[in-house]
Coordinates of all heavy atoms in Angstrom, one line a residue:
M11 N 36.7 -95.1 183.0 CA 35.9 -94.3 182.1 C 34.5 -94.7 182.3 O 34.1 -95.7 182.6 CB 36.3 -94.6 180.7 CG 35.4 -93.8 179.6 SD 35.7 -94.3 178.0 CE 36.7 -92.9 177.5
S12 N 33.6 -93.6 182.4 CA 32.2 -93.8 182.6 C 31.4 -93.6 181.3 O 32.0 -92.9 180.4 CB 31.7 -92.9 183.7 OG 31.7 -91.6 183.2
L13 N 30.3 -94.1 181.2 CA 29.4 -93.8 180.0 C 29.2 -92.3 179.8 O 29.2 -91.8 178.7 CB 28.1 -94.5 180.2 CG 27.1 -94.4 179.0 CD1 27.7 -95.0 177.8 CD2 25.8 -95.1 179.4
Q14 N 29.1 -91.6 180.9 CA 29.0 -90.1 180.9 C 30.1 -89.5 180.1 O 29.9 -88.6 179.2 CB 28.9 -89.4 182.2 CG 27.7 -89.7 183.0 CD 27.7 -89.0 184.4 OE1 28.6 -88.2 184.6 NE2 26.7 -89.3 185.2
H15 N 31.3 -89.9 180.4 CA 32.5 -89.3 179.7 C 32.6 -89.7 178.3 O 33.0 -88.9 177.4 CB 33.8 -89.6 180.5 CG 33.8 -89.0 181.9 ND1 33.7 -89.8 183.0 CD2 33.8 -87.7 182.3 CE1 33.7 -89.0 184.1 NE2 33.7 -87.7 183.7
A16 N 32.2 -90.9 178.0 CA 32.2 -91.4 176.6 C 31.2 -90.5 175.8 O 31.5 -90.1 174.6 CB 31.9 -92.9 176.5
I17 N 30.0 -90.3 176.3 CA 29.0 -89.5 175.6 C 29.5 -88.1 175.4 O 29.4 -87.5 174.3 CB 27.6 -89.6 176.3 CG1 27.1 -91.0 176.1 CG2 26.7 -88.5 175.8 CD1 25.8 -91.2 177.0
L18 N 30.0 -87.5 176.5 CA 30.6 -86.2 176.3 C 31.7 -86.1 175.2 O 31.7 -85.2 174.5 CB 31.1 -85.6 177.7 CG 30.1 -85.3 178.8 CD1 30.7 -85.0 180.1 CD2 29.2 -84.2 178.3
G19 N 32.5 -87.1 175.3 CA 33.6 -87.2 174.2 C 33.0 -87.2 172.8 O 33.5 -86.4 171.9
F20 N 32.0 -88.1 172.6 CA 31.4 -88.2 171.3 C 30.7 -86.9 170.9 O 30.7 -86.6 169.7 CB 30.4 -89.3 171.2 CG 31.1 -90.7 171.2 CD1 30.6 -91.8 171.9 CD2 32.2 -91.0 170.3 CE1 31.2 -93.0 171.9 CE2 32.8 -92.2 170.3 CZ 32.3 -93.2 171.1
L21 N 30.1 -86.2 171.8 CA 29.4 -85.0 171.5 C 30.3 -83.8 171.2 O 30.0 -82.8 170.6 CB 28.5 -84.6 172.6 CG 27.2 -85.4 172.8 CD1 26.4 -85.1 174.0 CD2 26.4 -85.4 171.6
T22 N 31.6 -83.9 171.5 CA 32.6 -82.9 171.0 C 32.8 -83.0 169.5 O 33.2 -82.0 168.9 CB 33.9 -83.1 171.8 OG1 34.6 -84.3 171.4 CG2 33.9 -82.9 173.2
L23 N 32.5 -84.1 168.9 CA 32.6 -84.2 167.5 C 31.5 -83.5 166.8 O 31.8 -82.8 165.7 CB 32.5 -85.7 167.0 CG 33.6 -86.6 167.7 CD1 33.2 -88.0 167.3 CD2 34.9 -86.2 167.2
S24 N 30.3 -83.5 167.2 CA 29.1 -82.8 166.6 C 27.9 -83.1 167.5 O 27.9 -84.1 168.1 CB 28.9 -83.2 165.2 OG 28.4 -84.5 165.2
P25 N 26.9 -82.2 167.4 CA 25.6 -82.5 168.0 C 25.0 -83.7 167.4 O 25.1 -83.9 166.2 CB 24.8 -81.2 167.8 CG 25.8 -80.1 167.5 CD 26.9 -80.8 166.7
M26 N 24.3 -84.5 168.2 CA 23.7 -85.7 167.7 C 22.6 -86.2 168.6 O 22.5 -85.8 169.8 CB 24.7 -86.8 167.4 CG 25.5 -87.2 168.6 SD 26.9 -88.4 168.2 CE 28.1 -87.2 167.7
T27 N 21.8 -87.1 168.1 CA 20.7 -87.7 168.9 C 21.2 -88.9 169.6 O 22.3 -89.4 169.4 CB 19.6 -88.2 167.9 OG1 20.1 -89.2 167.1 CG2 19.0 -87.1 167.1
G28 N 20.4 -89.4 170.5 CA 20.8 -90.7 171.2 C 20.9 -91.9 170.2 O 21.8 -92.7 170.4
Y29 N 20.1 -91.9 169.2 CA 20.2 -92.8 168.2 C 21.5 -92.8 167.5 O 22.2 -93.8 167.2 CB 19.0 -92.8 167.2 CG 19.0 -93.7 166.1 CD1 18.4 -95.0 166.3 CD2 19.7 -93.5 164.9 CE1 18.4 -95.9 165.2 CE2 19.7 -94.4 163.9 CZ 19.1 -95.7 164.1 OH 19.1 -96.6 163.1
D30 N 21.9 -91.6 167.1 CA 23.2 -91.4 166.5 C 24.4 -91.9 167.4 O 25.3 -92.6 166.9 CB 23.5 -89.9 166.1 CG 22.4 -89.4 165.1 OD1 21.9 -90.2 164.3 OD2 22.3 -88.2 165.1
L31 N 24.3 -91.5 168.6 CA 25.3 -92.0 169.6 C 25.4 -93.5 169.6 O 26.5 -94.1 169.5 CB 25.0 -91.4 171.0 CG 25.4 -90.0 171.3 CD1 24.7 -89.5 172.5 CD2 26.8 -89.8 171.3
K32 N 24.3 -94.2 169.7 CA 24.3 -95.6 169.8 C 24.8 -96.3 168.5 O 25.7 -97.1 168.5 CB 22.8 -96.1 170.0 CG 22.6 -97.6 169.9 CD 23.2 -98.4 171.0 CE 22.8 -99.8 170.8 NZ 23.8 -100.7 171.2
H33 N 24.2 -95.9 167.4 CA 24.4 -96.6 166.1 C 25.7 -96.1 165.3 O 26.4 -97.0 164.7 CB 23.2 -96.5 165.2 CG 22.1 -97.3 165.8 ND1 21.9 -98.7 165.7 CD2 21.0 -96.9 166.5 CE1 20.8 -99.0 166.4 NE2 20.3 -98.0 166.9
N34 N 26.0 -94.9 165.5 CA 27.2 -94.4 164.7 C 28.5 -94.5 165.5 O 29.5 -94.5 165.0 CB 27.0 -93.0 164.2 CG 25.8 -92.9 163.2 OD1 25.4 -93.9 162.6 ND2 25.2 -91.7 163.2
H35 N 28.3 -94.4 166.9 CA 29.6 -94.3 167.7 C 29.8 -95.5 168.5 O 30.8 -96.1 168.4 CB 29.6 -92.9 168.4 CG 29.7 -91.8 167.5 ND1 30.8 -91.4 166.9 CD2 28.7 -91.0 167.1 CE1 30.6 -90.4 166.1 NE2 29.4 -90.1 166.2
F36 N 28.8 -95.8 169.4 CA 29.0 -97.0 170.3 C 29.0 -98.3 169.4 O 30.0 -99.1 169.5 CB 27.9 -97.0 171.4 CG 28.3 -96.1 172.5 CD1 27.7 -94.9 172.6 CD2 29.1 -96.5 173.5 CE1 28.0 -94.1 173.6 CE2 29.4 -95.7 174.5 CZ 28.8 -94.5 174.6
D37 N 28.1 -98.5 168.6 CA 28.1 -99.7 167.7 C 29.2 -99.7 166.7 O 29.6 -100.7 166.3 CB 26.7 -99.9 167.1 CG 25.6 -100.3 168.1 OD1 26.0 -100.6 169.2 OD2 24.5 -100.4 167.7
G38 N 29.6 -98.5 166.2 CA 30.5 -98.4 165.1 C 31.9 -98.3 165.5 O 32.8 -98.4 164.7
S39 N 32.2 -98.1 166.8 CA 33.6 -97.9 167.1 C 34.1 -98.7 168.4 O 35.0 -99.3 168.5 CB 34.0 -96.4 167.2 OG 33.3 -95.8 168.3
V40 N 33.3 -98.5 169.5 CA 33.7 -99.1 170.8 C 33.0 -100.2 171.3 O 33.2 -100.7 172.4 CB 33.7 -97.9 171.9 CG1 34.6 -96.8 171.6 CG2 32.3 -97.4 172.1
C41 N 32.1 -100.8 170.4 CA 31.2 -101.9 170.8 C 32.0 -103.2 171.3 O 31.6 -104.0 172.0 CB 30.2 -102.2 169.9 SG 30.8 -102.9 168.3
F42 N 33.2 -103.3 170.7 CA 34.1 -104.5 170.9 C 34.6 -104.6 172.4 O 34.8 -105.7 172.9 CB 35.2 -104.5 170.0 CG 34.8 -104.6 168.6 CD1 34.9 -103.5 167.7 CD2 34.1 -105.7 168.0 CE1 34.5 -103.5 166.4 CE2 33.6 -105.7 166.7 CZ 33.9 -104.6 165.9
F43 N 34.7 -103.4 173.0 CA 35.1 -103.5 174.4 C 34.2 -102.7 175.4 O 34.4 -102.8 176.6 CB 36.6 -102.9 174.6 CG 36.8 -101.5 174.0 CD1 36.6 -100.4 174.8 CD2 37.2 -101.3 172.7 CE1 36.7 -99.1 174.3 CE2 37.4 -100.0 172.2 CZ 37.2 -98.9 173.1
W44 N 33.2 -102.1 174.8 CA 32.2 -101.4 175.7 C 30.8 -101.3 175.0 O 30.5 -100.3 174.4 CB 32.7 -99.9 175.9 CG 32.0 -99.2 177.0 CD1 30.8 -99.6 177.6 CD2 32.3 -98.0 177.5 NE1 30.4 -98.7 178.5 CE2 31.4 -97.7 178.5 CE3 33.4 -97.0 177.3 CZ2 31.4 -96.5 179.3 CZ3 33.4 -95.8 178.0 CH2 32.4 -95.6 179.0
P45 N 30.0 -102.3 175.3 CA 28.7 -102.3 174.7 C 27.8 -101.3 175.6 O 27.9 -101.3 176.8 CB 28.2 -103.7 174.8 CG 29.0 -104.3 175.9 CD 30.3 -103.5 175.9
A46 N 26.9 -100.6 175.0 CA 26.0 -99.7 175.7 C 24.6 -99.8 174.9 O 24.5 -99.8 173.7 CB 26.4 -98.2 175.6
D47 N 23.5 -100.1 175.7 CA 22.3 -100.2 175.0 C 21.6 -98.8 175.0 O 22.0 -97.9 175.7 CB 21.4 -101.3 175.7 CG 21.0 -101.0 177.1 OD1 20.8 -99.8 177.5 OD2 20.9 -101.9 178.0
Q48 N 20.6 -98.8 174.2 CA 19.9 -97.5 173.9 C 19.3 -96.9 175.2 O 19.4 -95.6 175.4 CB 18.8 -97.8 172.9 CG 18.2 -96.5 172.3 CD 19.1 -96.0 171.2 OE1 19.8 -96.7 170.5 NE2 19.1 -94.7 171.0
A49 N 18.8 -97.7 176.1 CA 18.2 -97.2 177.3 C 19.3 -96.6 178.2 O 19.0 -95.5 178.8 CB 17.5 -98.3 178.1
Q50 N 20.4 -97.1 178.3 CA 21.5 -96.6 179.1 C 22.0 -95.2 178.5 O 22.2 -94.3 179.3 CB 22.7 -97.5 179.1 CG 22.7 -98.7 179.9 CD 24.0 -99.5 179.7 OE1 24.3 -100.0 178.6 NE2 24.7 -99.8 180.7
I51 N 22.0 -95.2 177.3 CA 22.5 -93.9 176.6 C 21.4 -92.8 176.9 O 21.8 -91.7 177.3 CB 22.7 -94.1 175.1 CG1 23.9 -95.0 174.9 CG2 22.8 -92.7 174.4 CD1 24.1 -95.5 173.5
Y52 N 20.1 -93.1 176.7 CA 19.1 -92.1 177.0 C 19.0 -91.7 178.5 O 18.9 -90.5 178.8 CB 17.8 -92.5 176.5 CG 17.6 -92.2 175.0 CD1 17.7 -93.3 174.1 CD2 17.5 -91.0 174.5 CE1 17.6 -93.1 172.7 CE2 17.4 -90.7 173.1 CZ 17.5 -91.8 172.3 OH 17.4 -91.6 170.9
R53 N 19.2 -92.6 179.4 CA 19.2 -92.3 180.8 C 20.3 -91.4 181.2 O 20.3 -90.4 181.9 CB 19.3 -93.6 181.7 CG 18.0 -94.2 181.9 CD 18.1 -95.3 183.0 NE 19.1 -96.3 182.8 CZ 19.0 -97.4 182.1 NH1 17.9 -97.8 181.6 NH2 20.1 -98.2 182.0
T54 N 21.5 -91.7 180.6 CA 22.7 -90.9 180.8 C 22.6 -89.5 180.2 O 23.0 -88.6 180.8 CB 24.0 -91.6 180.2 OG1 24.0 -92.9 180.8 CG2 25.3 -90.9 180.6
L55 N 22.0 -89.4 179.0 CA 21.8 -88.1 178.4 C 20.8 -87.3 179.3 O 21.1 -86.0 179.5 CB 21.1 -88.2 177.0 CG 22.2 -88.6 175.9 CD1 21.4 -89.1 174.6 CD2 23.2 -87.5 175.7
D56 N 19.8 -87.9 179.8 CA 18.9 -87.1 180.8 C 19.7 -86.7 182.0 O 19.5 -85.5 182.4 CB 17.7 -88.0 181.2 CG 16.7 -88.3 180.1 OD1 16.7 -87.4 179.2 OD2 16.0 -89.2 180.2
K57 N 20.5 -87.5 182.6 CA 21.3 -87.1 183.8 C 22.3 -86.0 183.4 O 22.4 -85.0 184.2 CB 22.1 -88.3 184.3 CG 22.9 -88.1 185.5 CD 23.5 -89.3 186.1 CE 24.3 -89.0 187.3 NZ 25.0 -90.2 187.8
L58 N 22.9 -86.1 182.2 CA 23.9 -85.0 181.8 C 23.1 -83.7 181.6 O 23.6 -82.6 181.8 CB 24.6 -85.5 180.5 CG 25.7 -86.6 180.7 CD1 26.1 -87.1 179.4 CD2 26.8 -86.1 181.5
S59 N 21.9 -83.8 181.0 CA 21.0 -82.6 180.9 C 20.7 -82.0 182.2 O 20.7 -80.7 182.3 CB 19.9 -83.0 180.0 OG 19.1 -81.9 179.7
Q60 N 20.4 -82.7 183.2 CA 20.0 -82.3 184.5 C 21.2 -81.6 185.1 O 21.1 -80.6 185.9 CB 19.5 -83.3 185.4 CG 18.2 -83.8 185.0 CD 17.8 -85.1 185.8 OE1 18.5 -85.6 186.7 NE2 16.6 -85.6 185.5
M61 N 22.4 -82.1 184.8 CA 23.7 -81.5 185.4 C 24.2 -80.4 184.5 O 25.1 -79.7 184.8 CB 24.8 -82.6 185.4 CG 24.5 -83.8 186.3 SD 25.6 -85.2 186.1 CE 27.2 -84.4 186.5
E62 N 23.4 -80.1 183.5 CA 23.7 -78.9 182.6 C 25.1 -79.1 181.9 O 25.7 -78.1 181.5 CB 23.6 -77.6 183.3 CG 22.2 -77.4 183.8 CD 22.1 -76.0 184.4 OE1 23.1 -75.3 184.6 OE2 20.9 -75.6 184.8
L63 N 25.4 -80.4 181.6 CA 26.7 -80.7 180.9 C 26.3 -80.9 179.3 O 27.2 -80.8 178.5 CB 27.4 -81.9 181.4 CG 27.8 -81.8 182.9 CD1 28.4 -83.1 183.4 CD2 28.7 -80.6 183.1
V64 N 25.1 -81.2 179.0 CA 24.6 -81.2 177.7 C 23.3 -80.3 177.5 O 22.6 -80.2 178.5 CB 24.4 -82.6 177.1 CG1 25.6 -83.4 177.2 CG2 23.2 -83.3 177.9
A65 N 23.0 -79.9 176.4 CA 21.8 -79.2 176.1 C 21.1 -79.9 174.9 O 21.9 -80.5 174.1 CB 22.1 -77.7 175.8
S66 N 19.8 -79.8 174.8 CA 19.1 -80.4 173.7 C 18.2 -79.4 173.1 O 17.7 -78.4 173.7 CB 18.4 -81.6 174.2 OG 17.4 -81.3 175.1
H67 N 17.8 -79.7 171.8 CA 16.8 -78.9 171.2 C 16.1 -79.9 170.2 O 16.6 -80.9 169.8 CB 17.4 -77.7 170.4 CG 18.3 -78.1 169.3 ND1 19.6 -78.4 169.5 CD2 18.1 -78.3 167.9 CE1 20.2 -78.7 168.3 NE2 19.2 -78.7 167.4
I68 N 14.8 -79.6 169.9 CA 14.0 -80.4 169.0 C 14.3 -79.9 167.6 O 14.2 -78.7 167.3 CB 12.5 -80.3 169.3 CG1 12.3 -80.7 170.8 CG2 11.7 -81.1 168.4 CD1 12.7 -82.2 171.1
E69 N 14.6 -80.9 166.7 CA 14.8 -80.6 165.3 C 13.7 -81.1 164.5 O 13.4 -82.3 164.5 CB 16.1 -81.3 164.9 CG 16.7 -80.9 163.5 CD 18.0 -81.5 163.3 OE1 19.0 -81.0 163.7 OE2 18.0 -82.6 162.6
E70 N 12.9 -80.2 163.9 CA 11.7 -80.6 163.1 C 12.2 -81.1 161.8 O 13.2 -80.6 161.2 CB 10.9 -79.3 162.9 CG 10.4 -78.7 164.2 CD 9.3 -79.5 164.9 OE1 8.6 -80.3 164.3 OE2 9.2 -79.4 166.1
Q71 N 11.5 -82.2 161.4 CA 11.8 -82.8 160.0 C 10.5 -82.9 159.3 O 9.4 -83.1 159.9 CB 12.4 -84.2 160.2 CG 13.7 -84.2 161.0 CD 14.3 -85.6 161.1 OE1 15.3 -85.9 160.4 NE2 13.8 -86.5 161.9
T72 N 10.5 -82.8 158.0 CA 9.3 -82.8 157.2 C 8.7 -84.2 157.0 O 7.6 -84.5 157.2 CB 9.5 -82.1 155.8 OG1 10.6 -82.7 155.2 CG2 9.7 -80.7 156.1
A73 N 9.6 -85.2 156.6 CA 9.1 -86.5 156.3 C 9.2 -87.5 157.4 O 8.8 -88.6 157.3 CB 9.9 -87.0 155.1
R74 N 9.8 -87.1 158.5 CA 10.0 -88.0 159.6 C 9.6 -87.3 161.0 O 9.4 -86.1 161.0 CB 11.4 -88.4 159.8 CG 11.9 -89.2 158.5 CD 13.3 -89.5 158.8 NE 13.8 -90.3 157.7 CZ 14.7 -91.3 157.8 NH1 15.2 -91.5 159.0 NH2 15.0 -92.0 156.8
P75 N 9.4 -88.0 162.0 CA 9.2 -87.4 163.3 C 10.3 -86.5 163.8 O 11.4 -86.6 163.3 CB 9.0 -88.6 164.2 CG 8.8 -89.8 163.4 CD 9.5 -89.5 162.1
S76 N 10.1 -85.6 164.6 CA 11.1 -84.7 165.1 C 12.1 -85.4 165.9 O 11.8 -86.5 166.4 CB 10.4 -83.6 166.1 OG 9.4 -82.9 165.4
R77 N 13.3 -84.9 165.9 CA 14.4 -85.5 166.6 C 14.9 -84.6 167.8 O 14.9 -83.4 167.6 CB 15.6 -85.8 165.8 CG 15.3 -86.0 164.4 CD 16.6 -86.2 163.4 NE 17.8 -85.4 163.7 CZ 19.0 -85.9 163.5 NH1 19.1 -87.1 163.1 NH2 20.1 -85.1 163.8
K78 N 15.4 -85.2 168.9 CA 15.9 -84.4 170.0 C 17.4 -84.5 169.8 O 18.0 -85.6 169.9 CB 15.5 -85.0 171.3 CG 15.8 -84.2 172.5 CD 15.2 -84.7 173.7 CE 15.3 -83.8 174.9 NZ 14.7 -84.3 176.1
V79 N 18.1 -83.4 169.5 CA 19.5 -83.3 169.3 C 20.2 -82.8 170.5 O 19.8 -81.7 171.1 CB 19.8 -82.5 168.1 CG1 21.3 -82.4 167.7 CG2 19.0 -83.0 166.8
Y80 N 21.2 -83.5 170.9 CA 22.0 -83.1 172.1 C 23.4 -82.5 171.7 O 23.9 -82.9 170.7 CB 22.3 -84.3 173.0 CG 21.1 -84.9 173.6 CD1 20.4 -85.8 172.9 CD2 20.6 -84.5 174.8 CE1 19.2 -86.5 173.4 CE2 19.5 -85.0 175.4 CZ 18.8 -86.0 174.6 OH 17.6 -86.6 175.2
E81 N 23.8 -81.5 172.4 CA 25.2 -81.0 172.2 C 25.8 -80.7 173.6 O 25.2 -80.5 174.6 CB 25.1 -79.7 171.4 CG 24.3 -78.6 171.9 CD 24.2 -77.5 171.0 OE1 25.2 -77.0 170.3 OE2 23.1 -76.9 170.8
I82 N 27.1 -80.8 173.6 CA 27.9 -80.5 174.8 C 27.9 -79.0 175.1 O 27.9 -78.2 174.2 CB 29.3 -81.1 174.7 CG1 30.0 -81.1 176.1 CG2 30.1 -80.4 173.7 CD1 31.3 -81.9 176.1
T83 N 27.7 -78.7 176.4 CA 27.8 -77.2 176.8 C 29.2 -76.8 177.1 O 30.0 -77.8 177.4 CB 26.8 -77.0 178.0 OG1 27.4 -77.8 179.1 CG2 25.4 -77.4 177.7
P84 N 29.5 -75.7 177.4 CA 30.8 -75.2 177.8 C 31.2 -75.9 179.2 O 32.3 -76.3 179.4 CB 30.8 -73.7 177.9 CG 29.7 -73.3 176.9 CD 28.7 -74.4 177.0
A85 N 30.1 -75.9 180.0 CA 30.4 -76.7 181.3 C 30.7 -78.1 181.1 O 31.5 -78.7 181.8 CB 29.1 -76.5 182.2
G86 N 30.1 -78.7 180.1 CA 30.3 -80.2 179.8 C 31.8 -80.4 179.3 O 32.4 -81.3 179.6
L87 N 32.2 -79.4 178.4 CA 33.5 -79.5 177.8 C 34.6 -79.3 178.9 O 35.6 -80.0 179.0 CB 33.7 -78.4 176.8 CG 35.0 -78.5 176.0 CD1 35.2 -79.8 175.4 CD2 35.0 -77.3 174.9
T88 N 34.3 -78.4 179.9 CA 35.3 -78.2 181.0 C 35.3 -79.4 181.9 O 36.3 -79.8 182.3 CB 34.8 -77.0 181.9 OG1 34.8 -75.8 181.0 CG2 35.6 -76.7 183.0
H89 N 34.1 -80.1 182.1 CA 34.1 -81.2 182.9 C 34.8 -82.4 182.3 O 35.6 -83.1 182.9 CB 32.6 -81.7 183.1 CG 32.4 -82.9 183.9 ND1 32.5 -83.0 185.3 CD2 32.1 -84.1 183.5 CE1 32.3 -84.2 185.7 NE2 32.1 -85.0 184.6
L90 N 34.7 -82.5 181.0 CA 35.4 -83.6 180.2 C 36.9 -83.3 180.3 O 37.7 -84.2 180.5 CB 34.8 -83.6 178.8 CG 35.5 -84.7 177.9 CD1 35.3 -86.1 178.4 CD2 35.0 -84.5 176.4
Q91 N 37.3 -82.1 180.0 CA 38.7 -81.7 180.0 C 39.4 -82.0 181.4 O 40.5 -82.5 181.5 CB 38.9 -80.3 179.6 CG 38.7 -80.1 178.1 CD 38.6 -78.7 177.7 OE1 38.4 -77.7 178.5 NE2 38.8 -78.4 176.4
E92 N 38.6 -81.7 182.5 CA 39.2 -81.9 183.9 C 39.3 -83.4 184.1 O 40.3 -83.9 184.7 CB 38.2 -81.3 184.9 CG 38.3 -79.8 184.9 CD 37.2 -79.2 185.8 OE1 36.3 -79.9 186.4 OE2 37.2 -78.0 186.0
W93 N 38.3 -84.2 183.6 CA 38.4 -85.6 183.8 C 39.5 -86.2 183.0 O 40.2 -87.1 183.5 CB 37.1 -86.3 183.3 CG 37.1 -87.7 183.4 CD1 37.0 -88.5 184.5 CD2 37.3 -88.7 182.3 NE1 37.2 -89.9 184.2 CE2 37.3 -90.0 182.8 CE3 37.5 -88.4 180.9 CZ2 37.5 -91.1 182.0 CZ3 37.7 -89.6 180.1 CH2 37.7 -90.9 180.7
L94 N 39.8 -85.7 181.8 CA 40.9 -86.2 181.0 C 42.2 -85.8 181.6 O 43.2 -86.6 181.4 CB 40.8 -85.6 179.5 CG 39.7 -86.2 178.6 CD1 39.5 -85.3 177.4 CD2 40.0 -87.6 178.3
A95 N 42.3 -84.8 182.3 CA 43.6 -84.4 182.9 C 44.0 -85.1 184.2 O 45.1 -85.0 184.7 CB 43.6 -82.8 183.2
T96 N 42.9 -85.7 184.8 CA 43.3 -86.5 186.1 C 43.8 -87.9 185.8 O 43.5 -88.5 184.8 CB 42.0 -86.7 186.9 OG1 41.0 -87.4 186.2 CG2 41.4 -85.4 187.4
S97 N 44.6 -88.4 186.7 CA 45.2 -89.7 186.5 C 44.2 -90.7 187.0 O 43.5 -90.5 187.9 CB 46.5 -89.8 187.4 OG 47.5 -88.9 187.0
P98 N 44.2 -91.9 186.2 CA 43.2 -92.9 186.6 C 43.6 -93.6 187.9 O 44.7 -93.6 188.3 CB 43.2 -93.8 185.4 CG 44.6 -93.6 184.9 CD 44.9 -92.2 185.1
T99 N 42.6 -94.0 188.6 CA 42.8 -94.7 189.9 C 43.0 -96.2 189.4 O 42.2 -96.8 188.8 CB 41.5 -94.6 190.8 OG1 41.3 -93.3 191.0 CG2 41.8 -95.4 192.1
L100 N 44.2 -96.7 189.8 CA 44.6 -98.1 189.5 C 43.9 -99.0 190.5 O 43.8 -98.7 191.7 CB 46.1 -98.2 189.5 CG 46.8 -97.4 188.5 CD1 48.3 -97.5 188.6 CD2 46.4 -97.7 187.1
P101 N 43.5 -100.2 190.0 CA 42.8 -101.1 190.9 C 44.0 -101.7 191.8 O 45.1 -101.8 191.5 CB 42.3 -102.2 190.0 CG 43.1 -102.0 188.7 CD 43.5 -100.6 188.6
T102 N 43.4 -102.1 193.0 CA 44.3 -102.8 194.0 C 44.7 -104.1 193.5 O 43.8 -104.9 193.1 CB 43.6 -102.9 195.4 OG1 43.2 -101.6 195.7 CG2 44.5 -103.4 196.5
E103 N 46.0 -104.4 193.5 CA 46.4 -105.8 193.1 C 46.2 -106.7 194.3 O 46.7 -106.5 195.4 CB 47.9 -105.7 192.8 CG 48.4 -107.0 192.2 CD 49.9 -106.9 191.8 OE1 50.3 -105.9 191.4 OE2 50.5 -108.0 191.9
R104 N 45.6 -107.8 194.0 CA 45.3 -108.8 195.1 C 46.1 -110.0 194.7 O 46.0 -110.5 193.6 CB 43.8 -109.1 195.2 CG 43.1 -107.9 195.6 CD 41.6 -108.2 195.8 NE 40.9 -107.0 196.2 CZ 39.7 -106.9 196.6 NH1 39.0 -108.1 196.7 NH2 39.2 -105.8 197.0
R105 N 46.7 -110.6 195.7 CA 47.4 -111.9 195.5 C 46.8 -112.9 196.4 O 46.4 -112.7 197.5 CB 48.9 -111.7 195.9 CG 49.6 -110.7 195.0 CD 51.0 -110.5 195.4 NE 51.5 -109.4 194.6 CZ 52.8 -109.5 194.1 NH1 53.6 -110.5 194.5 NH2 53.3 -108.5 193.4
P106 N 46.7 -114.1 195.8 CA 46.1 -115.2 196.6 C 46.9 -115.6 197.8 O 48.0 -115.5 197.9 CB 45.9 -116.3 195.7 CG 46.7 -116.1 194.4 CD 47.1 -114.5 194.5

């Protein structure tokens, strides 16, 4: 599993910011076996955006700064579903 696929999976739940992904999902559910720092998440979101697998929009707020909200695109959902349908590559077993 890659960070890209984890982010796409979380974005199927609802549109969210990079901060939401980090604090509500990575830190709140998978941090025990997969830590991800804020910079990794934002770099991956930028890459997913360039690949047109996620889209973003600016959400204006009155009492706080504006937020950049990401959502999965139809192409992103297709990409995630194709990845989920493939069998994982098992590591080579090495014996001493």
